[in-house]
Structures are given as C-alpha cells and as structure tokens.
Amino acid sequence: MFYCWIHLFHLGRVNIGSCSSFLRKNAALLGHAAGSGRTSSCNTDIISTVEFNNTGELLATGDKGGRVVIFQREQESKNQSHRRGEYNVYSTFQSHEPEFDYLKSLEIEEKINKIRWLPQQNAAYFLLSTNDKTVKLWKISERDKRPEGYNLKDEDGRIKDPSTITALRAVDSSVAVSSGDQGLNPPPFVRNSPHVCMGFLQVPVLRPMDLMVEASPRRVFANAHTYHINSISVNSDYETYMSADDLRINLWHLEITNRSFNIVDIKPANMEELTEVITAAEFHPHQCNMFVYSSSKGTIRLCDMRASALCDKHSKLFEEPEDPSNRSFFSEIISSISDVKFSHSGRFMMTRDYLTVKVWDLNMENRPLETYQVHEYLRSKLCSLYENDCIFDKFECVWNGSDSVIMTGSYNNFFRMFDRNTKRDVTLEASRENSKPRAILKPRKVCMGGKRKKDEISVDSLDFSKKILHTAWHPSENIIAVAATNNLYIFQDKVN
C-alpha cells in the first residue's frame, strides 16, 4: 500500500511545509509566527497524541505544552476535487497548564497524554483530553452571529445604570406618546395615563459575524489518580469512560465530576511486592460491560464488569509463552506492552511491544493469531538502546477502517504497515527532505549487514532521536496521520 504526501504541519516555530502562507494568515491562531524553516523544535511543541474523530472530518493533536490543535478536512469542490483529503487548522486551545502538587512536592506536567473524541450528537463537537492527573471534557462549537442591542450594556460593553432603563417616571401623557414616536409604542394603559411613562426597552438581535470556533471546558475530572494517567477510553454507551494509571482504573460518568468508581486495583499492600504495572486500557467497541488492560509483563486481561464491581479477577488472560532460547537480560523490558487496541469489529485486539505487533483472537488466549516483526534488526542493538533509554519508548498501533491493515511506528521516522490478508508489509518514511507535495512514498529497507544496496539504509545509520510513536488512521478511508516529533504528516492513498 503506497501513499502520497498531502500535508506537513509543523507545530513548532517554523513553517508548515507547503502551507506557509496559511500559517502566516493564521499566526495568531497557532500562537506563533512562521519562521525561517529551521528543523529545531522546542520540547513543548513535540506531539504527544493524535486522534481522528468518529467521522474522520476532524483530527486532533496534543503536545507536551498542553496545547490541543484541531484540523478540519477540506470540503470537496467541483473545481478542486483533489483537495478533498487536505486538512487545515480548525481550532487551537490550551487544554492543560503546569501544576504543582504541594503535598508530594511534585510538578505536574501539562503534556497531553491522550485525546478521545465523543460521537457527535449536535452541531458541537466534544473531546476528552488528559495529562498525568486531570481529565477534561471540551466543547468545540462554531459561532457566526453575535447579539447586539442589550438593555443593560452600551455599544462598548459598559454596564448601564439600571435606573435609566427600568424606572417609571411621572410625566405628561403627551411625552409618553412622543416617546412612542421614537421607537417605543406604550400600551394603552400607559398611553391613557397622564402621569406614567416607561423607559426605552429594546429586544436584542443577532447580527452576522465572521465565523469563530470556540473551545470551552465543560467538565473537569480531577483528584482521582495517585499515579500518572496513561489511557482514557470512551464506553460504547457514550455515557461513561474510564481512565487508567499505573496501578488503578477508574470508571467515570460524563456528567459527574466529583465521583468515580474504582474497577481495577493492582496495588499490593506492600509496594516492594509490586511486579507489574498497567500500561494501557480500552473498552470493547460494542459491548459496554467489557474492557481490556495490558501490563508491563506482556499480559492482557479481559474483564467483564457484570461479574463484580471490582474487576481484579479477569475473565480471560492473554499471554504468549516465552521462548527459552530468546531469553536475555532485556526480555522483560521488550515484552512490556505499550498499546492495546480492539479491532472495529470487536472480534480481535492488537498489542504492541518493543519489537513486534501481535493480533489476538478474543476466543484464543494461549497464543496470538498473528505476529508481525516491526524492527527485528534492532535485537542486536538492545544494549545500546538500553543505555540511551530508547528501549523504554512506547509505540502505538492502529487499525485501518476494515481491520485488514495495521500500522505502527519505528525509528528514523520510519513507520510500518502490515496487510493481514496478503501478509505483505512495507516500510515508509515521514521526512521533510524526502517528501514533496503529492509525491509517492518509496518503500525503505534496512540493511542488517554485509553489502548494502543503493536504496537501503544501514542499521548503524538509523537516527534513534527521530521516532514515530503516535499514528492515527481515518475510520473509513485510507488517510493516515503520522506524528514525528513536532511535525504532523498526513498521507492519502494514491488517487488516479
């Protein structure tokens, strides 16, 4: 599957690739001006999550600076049908601010860990965003009219003296009639009274204005997690969601902010006995009573909330027996699961560990249905990856709309795609240097050793500072979003 490049959005203080004119026009919205095209990035601009909404018309990104940027898909026109796949900046807002926990003397980062969209129920959009401690529900709405003609405010917005508006004063009835000539026609009981007249009252009206997109916080879900939140997932009942940290999973109602229910708690009485932590969690896409969570020991637990209020006892445990021949010092680290995703059908789930992506059948617990090697050539580099902490990177994985292709990231700005039907795979690169607008991406290959071919890259030449951790796939079309540090690449399946 080959993709052509549509957009490069640079969310730092540099240009947006081919869209620099758009950036200059919207510099105030993005919070920075177009720069000189430097590739250096501020740490706060590094993208930390990417998520399409349920229709794919909107794409949200969160960064380490606590900012959420939302892109909207370009509407198709008769003259420019090729622009249908393009996305432009729709709204940006500051979701979280840095905080300080005075009881523990710890700084709470503003970094956005996850974004999850809620299904659209009306003209507005709703999304959940979370940092390490606090989940927020945001409403994104459009406004193209503004009210004018308030009785209590003047044109400059200053509050009027109420006594000049609502007070009744004794005047001659001729004055009352003349007041009506100025725009207020008093009712008969006032017009016929020789001593009473009303002040001037007017009905506010709505005037057209330039379209403005507003983001407003509707709910703040706080003070429920002792440890860092790593996952949030919206339930299929669209009334509840769960948030997971290292040791606990909480169930929330979207309308209630001061109370949550603890549904998983793996914290031991003695913390020295702690052997694993929760790494990811997700609700089943169709059955609102079921969810899964993964652990740092490489296990996945399927839980049913109908069985008990506290789901410490799982319904199913998915685990692959370890091959003794591959046992090493790094085995436990690379077996830790960094992401788990249900398929859209709900029949399968996918997990990502450091070296592989595995597809599991919910009806088969003892081994995965499919295993795909992401970058097996790094197995010989685990020692150096441990020294530079890259071995602890948490890669995400995503399904395409039909569950037939899966995608995940790697190093050197490479990302991998695996076709489940044909068993073919491809390695593509998201790079400013190698991408031109609407150019077809060429497959890349990594050379393990020996003589290197012209189009291959040596494993020793890989840049481990360039990594693709976060990706997203349009729910129904072959459009993908790839986050590489502070650059957002959007690719589309080639259209003839």
Side-chain angles (χ1 to χ4, degrees):
M1 184 172 293
F2 301 95
Y3 283 76
C4 65
W5 181 62
I6 299 176
H7 263 329
L8 164 61
F9 290 100
H10 188 91
L11 301 185
R13 292 169 175 79
V14 300
N15 282 342
I16 302 184
S18 64
C19 302
S20 58
S21 61
F22 177 83
L23 174 59
R24 287 192 291 270
K25 188 167 60 175
N26 294 275
L29 177 67
L30 287 171
H32 54 262
S36 60
R38 300 186 305 272
T39 58
S40 61
S41 64
C42 179
N43 185 58
T44 58
D45 297 323
I46 295 176
I47 299 172
S48 54
T49 183
V50 183
E51 187 78 7
F52 280 102
N53 74 336
N54 297 65
T55 63
E57 293 301 307
L58 297 180
L59 171 66
T61 66
D63 62 25
K64 288 191 173 182
R67 184 179 59 167
V68 173
V69 180
I70 301 175
F71 301 87
Q72 185 181 46
R73 192 175 186 183
E74 191 80 17
Q75 296 299 316
E76 186 175 3
S77 62
K78 295 181 180 179
N79 298 331
Q80 295 177 314
S81 59
H82 65 279
R83 293 179 59 87
R84 175 60 180 156
E86 296 189 2
Y87 286 77
N88 289 318
V89 175
Y90 179 63
S91 176
T92 181
F93 59 92
Q94 189 70 29
S95 175
H96 288 72
E97 300 283 354
E99 301 176 36
F100 190 80
D101 188 337
Y102 293 95
L103 293 177
K104 297 183 179 180
S105 297
L106 291 175
E107 292 184 2
I108 302 174
E109 290 184 339
E110 65 271 34
K111 185 188 87 163
I112 307 298
N113 292 338
K114 294 290 180 182
I115 291 175
R116 290 293 180 264
W117 290 91
L118 273 65
Q120 188 177 5
Q121 305 292 341
N122 50 40
Y125 301 95
F126 290 87
L127 63 81
L128 290 167
S129 63
T130 183
N131 66 349
D132 287 339
K133 299 291 184 180
T134 304
V135 183
K136 294 183 180 182
L137 174 65
W138 289 89
K139 175 184 179 182
I140 296 93
S141 56
E142 297 181 352
R143 187 152 64 93
D144 59 358
K145 292 181 175 63
R146 67 172 182 269
E148 291 184 357
Y150 284 110
N151 289 296
L152 298 180
K153 296 180 182 179
D154 58 21
E155 296 298 328
D156 298 327
R158 293 189 294 266
I159 303 297
K160 293 182 181 178
D161 182 3
S163 63
T164 63
I165 304 168
T166 61
L168 299 178
R169 49 196 174 90
V171 294
D172 183 76
S173 61
S174 62
V175 178
V177 175
S178 65
S179 297
D181 294 339
Q182 297 180 31
L184 178 65
N185 188 17
F189 75 89
V190 174
R191 189 185 301 115
N192 297 333
S193 171
H195 300 293
V196 179
C197 175
M198 294 177 61
F200 291 105
L201 294 176
Q202 55 184 339
V203 178
V205 295
L206 294 175
R207 304 288 187 191
M209 60 175 284
D210 293 336
L211 179 65
M212 182 171 64
V213 181
E214 297 178 319
S216 54
R218 303 308 299 269
R219 304 280 189 277
V220 177
F221 307 89
N223 304 319
H225 285 278
T226 306
Y227 307 98
H228 292 177
I229 298 173
N230 54 50
S231 301
I232 53 176
S233 179
V234 180
N235 201 346
S236 59
D237 61 11
Y238 305 138
E239 292 184 354
T240 57
Y241 77 93
M242 69 177 175
S243 55
D245 64 23
D246 295 333
L247 298 178
R248 296 187 179 97
I249 300 177
N250 293 333
L251 180 68
W252 300 83
H253 194 284
L254 287 167
E255 299 292 332
I256 302 173
T257 61
N258 60 355
R259 184 173 68 253
S260 64
F261 298 95
N262 181 230
I263 54 176
V264 173
D265 188 348
I266 65 170
K267 182 181 179 181
N270 183 3
M271 286 296 285
E272 293 182 357
E273 300 174 358
L274 182 68
T275 58
E276 61 180 340
V277 295
I278 298 170
T279 57
E282 186 174 65
F283 268 119
H284 192 279
H286 307 302
Q287 301 181 35
C288 62
N289 55 286
M290 299 181 66
F291 68 93
V292 295
Y293 68 93
S294 59
S295 81
S296 56
K297 293 184 87 173
T299 60
I300 311 102
R301 291 173 173 87
L302 178 69
C303 300
D304 190 339
M305 292 189 292
R306 296 173 300 183
S308 63
L310 188 63
C311 300
D312 286 345
K313 294 183 178 179
H314 50 266
S315 300
K316 291 185 177 182
L317 176 66
F318 299 85
E319 184 177 17
E320 183 178 23
E322 184 182 9
D323 185 356
S325 62
N326 290 332
R327 179 70 183 173
S328 69
F329 172 78
F330 306 106
S331 295
E332 188 170 333
I333 301 175
I334 63 176
S335 65
S336 175
I337 295 174
S338 57
D339 194 19
V340 57
K341 293 281 176 62
F342 276 109
S343 63
H344 294 86
S345 65
R347 172 67 188 275
F348 307 100
M349 64 179 176
M350 171 174 54
T351 60
R352 170 71 204 262
D353 57 40
Y354 190 69
L355 293 178
T356 65
V357 172
K358 297 174 183 177
V359 176
W360 301 78
D361 190 324
L362 294 189
N363 298 325
M364 187 170 66
E365 306 170 49
N366 59 340
R367 60 184 175 86
L369 191 67
E370 303 159 14
T371 300
Y372 301 97
Q373 301 295 333
V374 179
H375 37 218
E376 180 65 20
Y377 47 79
L378 294 182
R379 190 176 290 274
S380 61
K381 301 286 184 181
L382 292 179
C383 185
S384 58
L385 292 169
Y386 178 80
E387 293 175 353
N388 61 19
D389 286 342
C390 285
I391 200 171
F392 301 105
D393 287 334
K394 299 182 183 302
F395 293 94
E396 297 177 1
C397 52
V398 292
W399 301 86
N400 73 334
S402 61
D403 300 333
S404 60
V405 182
I406 57 182
M407 175 175 65
T408 190
S410 182
Y411 293 103
N412 207 66
N413 279 357
F414 290 167
F415 60 98
R416 302 266 285 146
M417 288 184 175
F418 303 93
D419 191 314
R420 299 179 59 208
N421 296 327
T422 64
K423 304 303 179 183
R424 295 175 60 188
D425 63 89
V426 64
T427 301
L428 302 173
E429 181 180 8
S431 170
R432 297 173 65 96
E433 292 77 13
N434 298 336
S435 298
K436 295 181 180 179
R438 309 212 160 270
I440 297 177
L441 295 183
K442 296 180 179 180
R444 303 300 305 270
K445 290 185 178 181
V446 178
C447 176
M448 296 281 291
K451 190 174 182 180
R452 181 170 60 91
K453 297 181 180 179
K454 180 179 179 182
D455 295 332
E456 293 181 340
I457 181 172
S458 170
V459 66
D460 297 320
S461 302
L462 296 177
D463 188 346
F464 294 105
S465 65
K466 295 180 179 180
K467 60 191 77 172
I468 293 179
L469 304 178
H470 314 287
T471 58
W473 203 310
H474 190 285
S476 58
E477 299 182 33
N478 280 336
I479 298 176
I480 60 174
V482 176
T485 58
N486 62 332
N487 295 316
L488 176 67
Y489 297 84
I490 299 178
F491 302 95
Q492 183 181 30
D493 197 4
K494 186 177 182 299
V495 180
N496 294 325

